[in-house]
Amino acid sequence: VCESFLRWTLSPDDAFWARMSENDAIGMIAGNGIYPAIFARAARAAGVGRLVAASFHDETEPGIEDLVDSVCWMRVGQLSRMIKFFSKEGITRAVMVGQIAPKNLFDLRPDMRTLVLLGRLKERNAESIFAGIAGELAKDGIELIAATTFLEDLLPDSGHVCGPRPDKRLENEAEFGFRIAKETSRLDVGQTVVVRRGTVLAVEAFEGTNAAIRRGGELGNGKAVAVKVSKPDQDLRFDVPCIGPETIKVASGAGVRAIVIEAGSTLLLDKEQIEALADELKVTVYAY
C-alpha cells in the first residue's frame, strides 16, 4: 500500500530518487582522479546503501576501497570481468566516473567480449566506445545512469563562478572560444580550446585538457583563456566535461588567466578547493 501511494504521489523525478533507497546498489566504473571518490560520497549522502567499484590497475586511486563495499581490480579492456562482477553483486545500475589515461587506451589487452565490441565499431572514439560498453551492460540487465547523478549541485549556472571577477575582454574571449570549442567538440576532436584576442592558441586532442592548457598557455604570455564545453547532444552517461583543483593549478602554472566552462553542463569536482585555489592563484572561473 505504501509503495502504491508513493508511485501515485511522486513526480517521475521524485520517483527516481525514491528508487535510489538504501536497499539499492550502484556499480561504479571508476577511472582516475578524484571523480570516483566525490561520486561515492555524494551517493552515500543521498542514501545509497551499497556501492561497488570496478577499478583499474594504474588508474583508479587505491583509496576507493575505503569508500565502497566491494572492489574488483582489473585491467582496462576486461569487459567480461566487469560485467560478471556487477552481476555477482546484484548490480542493475552502474555509473562511469573518472577518465582512463590515453596511454592505457593504446595499451589495451582486451578480452573476447571487448574484441567483439571493438570489431563492430565503425569509429573508435570515446563516445562510440562508451556507447558500446553501455550496450553490452544493458544486455546483462545493467543500466548505465547519468554521470551527473547525485552531483547536480556541482553544475554551476552562467556567470562568475570564482576567482577574480571577469572583465569585458574575458567575456569576449569566452564568446569566441565557446563557438570554436563547440565546433571542435562536434567533430569529436576535443572539448577544450585555448584562445587570446580572437586567436586559437591550442585545441585539445587525444592528449587531454591539461596538456592543451599547457600548450596554449605557453603561447599566451599570461593572458590566455581556456574554454571547455560539452559536446552537442552530450550523452550525460559518459564523458561529461569537468574541472578540478588540478585544472586550476595547471592553468596558473601555464599562465592561463581564466577558465571558461559551459553553464549547467560542466562539473566542478571538489568545488570548495577549486574556489580556494582560484582566489589564491588568481585564476577566474566563468560559466558561459
Side-chain angles (χ1 to χ4, degrees):
V1 175
C2 290
E3 185 177 350
S4 298
F5 176 76
L6 282 172
R7 289 201 189 101
W8 179 67
T9 57
L10 295 177
S11 68
D13 287 342
D14 290 336
F16 172 80
W17 292 109
R19 289 198 304 272
M20 288 294 190
S21 68
E22 61 183 27
N23 293 323
D24 283 326
I26 294 180
M28 296 167 54
I29 303 172
N32 59 38
I34 61 176
Y35 197 164
I38 288 174
F39 175 85
R41 294 189 181 101
R44 295 294 197 198
V48 175
R50 180 164 174 77
L51 287 172
V52 306
S55 302
F56 302 98
H57 297 295
D58 300 322
E59 290 284 355
T60 315
E61 295 290 335
I64 195 67
E65 295 180 342
D66 299 325
L67 299 173
V68 299
D69 300 289
S70 181
V71 176
C72 180
W73 290 93
M74 61 193 71
R75 299 191 313 272
V76 176
Q78 290 187 299
L79 183 56
S80 291
R81 182 176 174 85
M82 180 174 68
I83 291 175
K84 286 178 182 177
F85 168 64
F86 283 159
S87 297
K88 177 185 174 184
E89 296 289 339
I91 296 299
T92 59
R93 297 183 184 90
V95 60
M96 287 186 178
V97 284
Q99 297 180 324
I100 300 297
K103 64 180 179 65
N104 283 336
L105 292 176
F106 275 123
D107 192 29
L108 280 178
R109 286 176 288 176
D111 60 18
M112 185 56 65
R113 191 161 185 172
T114 305
L115 281 172
V116 172
L117 165 63
L118 293 175
R120 291 199 304 266
L121 299 179
K122 294 181 180 180
E123 297 181 4
R124 294 187 183 182
N125 52 45
E127 186 169 2
S128 63
I129 292 173
F130 292 150
I133 292 172
E136 292 300 310
L137 290 168
K139 290 178 184 178
D140 285 74
I142 303 167
E143 175 192 5
L144 193 64
I145 64 176
T148 56
T149 303
F150 308 126
L151 301 174
E152 288 80 3
D153 61 336
L154 301 182
L155 297 167
D157 295 327
S158 60
H160 178 231
V161 177
C162 57
R165 296 201 67 82
D167 54 23
K168 185 62 177 177
R169 178 175 291 178
L170 175 57
E171 293 176 2
N172 292 338
E173 298 279 37
E175 188 279 330
F176 171 73
F178 191 90
R179 177 161 45 87
I180 299 298
K182 274 295 184 182
E183 189 65 17
T184 60
S185 67
R186 182 185 68 81
L187 296 170
D188 205 29
V189 175
Q191 294 170 256
T192 301
V193 299
V194 182
V195 300
R196 182 187 175 191
R197 293 184 178 177
T199 299
V200 179
L201 305 179
V203 176
E204 176 191 10
F206 195 67
E207 82 279 26
T209 300
N210 287 347
I213 289 175
R214 291 188 184 100
R215 285 192 290 110
E218 185 177 351
L219 297 170
N221 295 323
K223 297 181 180 180
V225 174
V227 183
K228 189 176 184 72
V229 304
S230 65
K231 295 178 181 178
D233 301 317
Q234 177 80 49
D235 191 329
L236 293 179
R237 297 176 300 171
F238 40 75
D239 211 21
V240 175
C242 58
I243 65 171
E246 186 63 22
T247 317
I248 306 298
K249 294 177 184 177
V250 169
S252 176
V256 169
R257 72 185 185 99
I259 300 171
V260 176
I261 58 177
E262 183 170 354
S265 300
T266 308
L267 285 168
L268 298 182
L269 300 178
D270 200 345
K271 186 177 180 181
E272 291 183 1
Q273 183 68 4
I274 287 174
E275 292 172 348
L277 282 170
D279 287 337
E280 176 189 346
L281 300 177
K282 308 302 181 188
V283 175
T284 298
V285 179
Y286 179 75
Y288 183 81

